[in-house]
Amino acid sequence: MTKGVKPYKPPAGGWGALKAVAGALADQETVAEGGKALLAANQPDGFDCPGCAWPDPKHTSSFEFCENGAKAVAWETTSKRATPEAVGAHTVSELWQWTDHALEDLGRLTEPLRYDPASDRFVRASWDEATTAIGRVIAAFDPNQVEFYASGRASNEAAFLFQLWGRRFGTNNFPDCSNMCHEPTSVGLAEQLGLGKGSVTLEDFDHADCILSFGHNPGTNHPRMMATLRDAARRGAAILVFNPMKERALETFASPQDPVEMATLSGTDIASRYYQLKVGGDVAVLTGLMKLLIERDALDHAFITQHTAGLEALKAAVTAADWDWIEARGGLTRAEIEEAADIYQRSKAVILCYGMGLTQHRSASSLVQQLVNLLLLGGHIGRPGAGICPLRGHSNVQGARTVGVSEKPSPALLASLTKVFGFSPPTAHGHTVPEAIEAMLAGEAKALVCLGGNFAVAAPDPAQTYPAVKGLDLTVNIATKLNRTHLLAGKAAWILPCLGRTEIDVQATGRQSVTVEDSMSMVHASRGMKPPASEHLRSEPWIVAELALASLGEGSGIDWRGLAGDYDRVREMIEQVFPDQFEDYNARIRTPGGFRLPVPTGERVWTTTSGRAAFIPYAPDEAGKDDPTRGKADVLLLTTLRSHDQYNTTIYGLNDRYRGVKGRRDVVFANSADLAARGIADGDVIDLEGVSDDSIERVLRGFTAVARDLPRGCLAAYYPEANPLVDLSDRDKRSGTPAYKSIPVRMHRSAR
Ligand SMILES: Nc1nc2c(c(=O)[nH]1)N[C@H]1C(S)=C(S)[C@@H](COP(=O)(O)OP(=O)(O)OC[C@H]3O[C@@H](n4cnc5c(=O)[nH]c(N)nc54)[C@H](O)[C@@H]3O)O[C@H]1N2
Ligand SMILES: Nc1nc2c(c(=O)[nH]1)N[C@H]1C(S)=C(S)[C@@H](COP(=O)(O)OP(=O)(O)OC[C@H]3O[C@@H](n4cnc5c(=O)[nH]c(N)nc54)[C@H](O)[C@@H]3O)O[C@H]1N2
Ligand SMILES: [Mo]
């Protein structure tokens, strides 16, 4: 058996999860402080857990956090410090050799840092020095030469000021982590339903009798969702999972809050059916399901007549699909798809949940529309217990979009900004993440300002992305921890340390709260309770406001300091710009639990051009290019996964408990027949080679093959280690989202 790999047998959750919480706090030397902080996570009066965007239940128990939320909190409340001395003790070239884990494990950044090219080190700087120098350099650029990247942890207040700064400066270049995440949802659902967000509430889960789960791994990435799924399973709701990987928590889960399960080491079965479809096979399986429902005339005709448009075109498309293609591409048998259709057909209220397994493919915007089509056929949107539920990523990625961080602003947003602030924002669309990288490569973009995140490591294709960022005239990173993107220092580079969610934020008018929006459009306040990691930290709104002031000068017509000094005033501005959504913003966030933004789809109001919900047949971006394995028998499709011990590019540790991997991440999961066909045995060292049209060599060497129960033709490896195999141009054309979940590769025994 491969070193460090052993099947995991117990239910997910349980004692393992409790033990891991204690371990995470101890590793970050924050047992007392971090432990206290955890008790305030997701409480009406506390901070919003920086872990995920799953909503909080109405009656919050005193333990409204999960193992992975605990890791996120421990990582932020660590007692380790990346002081200027600690960072400056090494040259940037030396730091580059460190692992991603080691870089962040230096601890919290404590003071602004400037890159000194002469010594190749980061050195201490004052805030005054930093904002003045950055402001001067930015002011000299043409607005579209600057890329304003945002990761989804920033609050509504910080995100709003960020987009205001960029637009007042004159650009819509807001590449955003969404472009690598749920952008196909924003694009696809908006076109179809009028709103690019989910339609369900948490209460809907109490009334669903069928839950479809496509391509998400809640045991790791949305662990608080497991309590909801467990309740549904115990009530007898059917839970159908469509995932190429057997994910332990979706099979069996033990609740750490259930004394019986804890004492008896037992668990609750979650999936009533587990369909291991092929990587990238969803389009075929969804087509098969819809074909059956249409042939059986198992449709909600009343709903369809009253509320939808386009059924005939969808009918024509799915009827034309043949079962050979459906079975071959989908990897499920016709009998399996018929069984799933039977269950769907019998159900009165269906919720469909999905994650990155659906959004990170070629033509993903069109693919997610097939999920909605499936629900619409049965009338399962906008009725209690039914609807579409995209599982968002970062804890405020949805909110940042709502308050205007978007490279394609709507005319309404631009008109509103003009009305409220009296300037004319640019109308031309800006760059998505891949477009920003292309602009850097072409020499058109000169500067990158990052409000959080790890731009270069999260993005595809380091062979192109790293030199693109490194070649810039200016990089500015507003961050809590050191990461590899910061080390891609261009001519001038700055790291600006900010407060985290858990920390007390005091501004001119006193202690502040920020607000965030979860996956179900609930907006609520978040208030830190820990003293800041360093006296030199500043809040994100403060930093953005100071940079805006320094780059735009006093004459911008916006009272930057006044806004940063009182977040109520930022919220007043948000309310003025978005009056329909944020009416009485300041009053409503002061009620426990906050408020829900309007979700017209939940009430069967369709704000589409036709005023109806649209059936939209699958349409690949480029005909024939949709399936990169077609006609290439030796090409496999690689998907990329998060381990149980990571938060995106933040690697907490090297274990992936539920997948039975310990102490390593350099593995590739494969079907044993695919291994055998290449003369490879479980545990052999292998190389993967990306398949693409250009001449760039994309290889991953020296990984270890692990035989797993995966469908033929499919591989899985960890993100971000596998990102060197992703061709920058390989993405969903409409949303810009890279095809991280269907990377064409060849696999060989290692040449080494
Ligand atoms: N602890 C923790 N929490 C997180 C994060 C984290 O890194 N750590 N990240 C946050 C962010 S930004 C996001 S976006 C979410 C991500 O949450 P998820 O969407 O759960 O993320 P992934 O790990 O990418 O998992 C995708 C799942 O899709 C499956 N899959 C892969 N390819 C396919 C396919 O072709 N079809 C289908 N049907 N399934 C497929 C995989 O087997 C895996 O189970 O989680 C958020 N929460
Ligand atoms: N192959 C592959 N690639 C992927 C994915 C995949 O599934 N497969 N997933 C994609 C997805 S879904 C996403 S969302 C992106 C993630 O892309 P990003 O959002 O850019 O990446 P993160 O790893 O979440 O960013 C981590 C950094 O954020 C900073 N940080 C943490 N907390 C705070 C804070 O409170 N404030 C500020 N200012 N900074 C903070 C820290 O410095 C930390 O190093 O990656 C994408 N890339
Ligand atoms: Mo994400």
Side-chain angles (χ1 to χ4, degrees), residues 244 277-284 329-330 357 361 367 637 639 714 741-742:
L277 78 184
K278 277 192 183 173
V279 166
D282 305 82
V283 61
R329 178 89 197 266
H361 294 281
L367 178 58
L637 269 192
T639 192
C714 308
K741 296 279 192 278
S742 48

Side-chain angles (χ1 to χ4, degrees), residues 177 180-182 356 360 392-394 642 648:
C177 73
M180 300 186 267
C181 184
H182 259 296
M356 297 299 101
Q360 296 174 333
R392 294 276 168 176
H394 272 296
R642 291 161 167 78
N648 298 339

Side-chain angles (χ1 to χ4, degrees), residues 217 220-221 242-243 247 280 282 356 393 639 642 646 648 741:
N217 183 21
T220 287
N221 298 316
F242 296 85
N243 195 315
E247 303 289 21
D282 305 82
M356 297 299 101
T639 192
R642 291 161 167 78
Q646 79 182 77
N648 298 339
K741 296 279 192 278

Side-chain angles (χ1 to χ4, degrees), residues 208-259:
D209 58 353
C210 176
I211 297 172
L212 305 176
S213 151
F214 275 89
H216 67 114
N217 183 21
T220 287
N221 298 316
H222 301 90
R224 288 182 300 120
M225 183 188 194
M226 290 314 304
T228 306
L229 291 178
R230 179 175 168 276
D231 288 349
R234 295 193 145 210
R235 273 195 300 108
I239 300 182
L240 311 188
V241 175
F242 296 85
N243 195 315
M245 264 316 247
K246 274 272 173 76
E247 303 289 21
R248 190 60 186 148
L250 288 170
E251 295 181 292
T252 315
F253 179 76
S255 167
Q257 267 124 11
D258 184 318

Side-chain angles (χ1 to χ4, degrees), residues 389-604:
C389 178
L391 291 146
R392 294 276 168 176
H394 272 296
S395 51
N396 195 39
V397 62
Q398 188 161 314
R401 286 263 134 157
T402 305
V403 300
V405 173
S406 163
E407 79 284 356
K408 296 184 186 70
S410 66
L413 166 62
L414 298 177
S416 211
L417 284 172
T418 306
K419 198 168 130 211
V420 174
F421 293 101
F423 71 94
S424 301
T427 53
H429 286 175
H431 296 144
T432 59
V433 167
E435 287 165 354
I437 297 165
E438 286 165 353
M440 293 173 196
L441 287 170
E444 289 156 16
K446 303 277 189 202
L448 172 67
V449 182
C450 295
L451 180 58
N454 190 357
F455 179 89
V457 179
D461 221 353
Q464 301 202 72
T465 299
Y466 288 0
V469 176
K470 180 112 184 89
L472 292 169
D473 288 349
L474 173 72
T475 57
V476 179
N477 280 283
I478 302 169
T480 51
K481 297 262 183 114
L482 187 66
N483 67 42
R484 198 168 296 284
T485 300
H486 308 169
L487 303 181
L488 290 164
K491 291 200 188 93
W494 297 84
I495 303 173
L496 306 178
C498 65
L499 294 172
R501 280 274 173 85
T502 54
E503 290 167 328
I504 297 169
D505 180 354
V506 178
Q507 299 299 334
T509 56
R511 193 159 160 191
Q512 309 292 320
S513 297
V514 295
T515 54
V516 294
E517 175 185 340
D518 67 30
S519 258
M520 296 183 189
S521 304
M522 293 294 304
V523 177
H524 60 91
S526 169
R527 196 176 164 89
M529 33 67 75
K530 260 187 62 70
S534 145
E535 58 176 319
H536 302 290
L537 300 186
R538 296 291 182 268
S539 76
E540 291 174 340
W542 184 93
I543 297 170
V544 171
E546 287 296 322
L547 292 176
L549 187 59
S551 58
L552 299 168
E554 297 287 344
S556 71
I558 296 164
D559 177 14
W560 295 104
R561 289 211 166 121
L563 290 169
D566 181 359
Y567 300 174
D568 274 356
R569 285 195 52 200
V570 181
R571 287 185 284 270
E572 279 164 22
M573 292 295 139
I574 296 176
E575 180 176 342
Q576 284 184 32
V577 174
F578 306 96
D580 300 339
Q581 303 193 59
F582 290 97
E583 197 187 347
D584 276 336
Y585 196 179
N586 277 311
R588 286 199 292 165
I589 56 144
R590 285 179 165 79
T591 57
F595 64 97
R596 191 165 194 232
L597 291 170
V599 180
T601 51
E603 270 119 61
R604 297 193 163 174

